[in-house]
Amino acid sequence: MVSDSKSAASLKFNDMEVDLPVYSPNLGPDVLDIRKLYAQGDVFTYDPGFTSTASCESAITFIDGDKGELLYRGYPIDQLAEKSHFLEVCYLLLYGELPTAAQLDEFIPRVTRHTMLHEQIQYFFRGFRRDAHPMAIICGVQGAMSSFYHDSTDINDPWQREVASIRMIAKMPTIAAWAFKYSIGQPFIYPRNDLDYASNFLHMCFAVPAEEYIVDPIVSRAMDRIFTLHADHEQNASTSTVRLAGSSGANPFACIAAGIACLWGPAHGGANEAALNMLREIGTVDRIPEFIERAKDKDDPFRLMGFGHRVYKNFDPRAKVMKESADEVLDLMGIENNPTLQVAKELERIALSDPYFVERKLYPNVDFYSGIILDAIGFPTSMFTPIFALARTVGWIAQWKEMIADPTQKIGRPRQLYTGEKNRDYVDVENR
Ligand code: SDX
């Protein structure tokens, strides 16, 4: 927990003066502790969207938006994407340190042997229309999981928290793959314990009972890297949703379902689906200027999907790695001159030379290139956000566990700036 404050800020207004302790983090800006402001100063702070508000103390992930830097437990994302693999990153995010070989040998089978779903759960899928968006299905099935795993819903029991965590990390690929299979009318493929995490997911998505399906190791490596790049990202909207749901004492399965619901939005995790749809709508390089002008037009709700970020005011480091992977995967899959990739690269070049984007520091984010890789692998755009949710499940869980274990945590309950009607008396309908 943060140590004693290094100094104090003094806030003077009206005839009051309130001292606000100042804490210094290991990385990032100092914070002003305003917890006593209302009691001592009878005022609220006002920060819709929390652009200047630290909602919690965390030791998991750090982003330097100006440098375009992302650290998982202190390790740079580009090093982890190159040298590590997703389940090792899961261990790092959950427990704070890179595992020894022995720890990894114990952790991986724990996940692998929890990838099956209770056989009854498949009937939840069958209750959806075949054309249901996979995000609707995984949100519903994830929430329903709490009705199956009563032995891991007591948040006050560290062992049950651990069991629920492993179950969700292990089962999310099966849930996402089965949502995909259901939407294309193919039979569910069961997980296989002889495959690694990413290969198992690909196998459940693309195998059919009628013939053997061999997972391409290049594709599996790219899939694993996409999971790593999406694993966690500080207090983004969906992680904050999970923390707020968890602060009420809701069971972990319900909290993760809340995170999935929030991630679905096009301004957040839904941007990768929207970004590829946008690139396809642009279609050819010569139509890019028309869309650039639309993105700048305040009267046009259109935005360049996959550009901009609440925190990054430089390149999203994940986009850099993703761009390299896009080139590698497309080349190795023999998809030269992919028109969508050509439009993406030219759009990036033009946008980053346009004063509108330069002045607002709008750079490609994680969602700009991920869709191109997923499309090349064979996923429909409707599966892009479920894959984001699959990867982010470990981040949501790590953040949720950190919050639950914090003895100072309490239910989240923001206040408001009320601009509604003042107190007034009821009027009978005949007098209105
Ligand atoms: C993710 O928080 C996270 O960490 C999220 C995430 C994670 O890993 O969890 O990184 C994942 O959600 C990435 C972001 C994916 N979203 C998109 O790609 C959608 C397109 N981007 C925008 O919707 C927007 O950039 C946001 C929502 C990402 C950020 O919005 P902000 O910080 O609230 O910024 P803003 O909307 O206030 O924009 C500032 C200015 C505005 O113009 P002015 O009012 O100053 O004239 O930039 C403009 C905006 O109009 N702007 C854009 C734009 N993004 C911002 N203009 C055109 N196209 C865009 N994409």
Side-chain angles (χ1 to χ4, degrees), residues 343-364:
V343 169
K345 288 184 173 181
E346 183 61 9
L347 175 60
E348 175 190 332
R349 187 190 67 77
I350 294 175
L352 296 187
S353 59
D354 184 297
Y356 175 92
F357 293 87
V358 173
E359 287 159 12
R360 291 168 177 79
K361 299 183 178 180
L362 301 176
Y363 291 88

Side-chain angles (χ1 to χ4, degrees), residues 233 267-268 298 303-304 306-307 309-310 318 365 392:
H233 214 237
H268 189 16
K298 292 305 171 197
R303 285 193 166 184
L304 281 189
F307 275 79
H309 198 274
R310 172 59 56 80
R318 301 167 298 177
N365 58 46
R392 185 54 58 87

Side-chain angles (χ1 to χ4, degrees), residues 66-67 308:
D66 293 327
K67 293 181 187 171

Side-chain angles (χ1 to χ4, degrees), residues 27 59-62 70-76 80 92:
L27 291 172
I60 298 171
T61 296
F62 178 75
L70 168 58
L71 308 177
Y72 288 169
R73 299 285 190 179
Y75 294 98
L80 292 171
L92 173 66

Side-chain angles (χ1 to χ4, degrees), residues 193-242:
N193 293 351
D194 61 319
L195 298 176
D196 65 62
Y197 193 86
S199 301
N200 191 30
F201 173 64
L202 290 165
H203 185 266
M204 288 190 286
C205 288
F206 297 116
V208 289
E211 61 186 28
E212 190 181 12
Y213 176 81
I214 305 296
V215 178
D216 181 326
I218 300 301
V219 174
S220 176
R221 178 70 186 127
M223 189 81 260
D224 187 274
R225 184 175 289 172
I226 285 176
F227 291 160
T228 291
L229 292 171
H230 287 80
D232 193 47
H233 214 237
E234 287 192 1
Q235 306 311 316
N236 58 84
S238 54
T239 297
S240 299
T241 300
V242 170

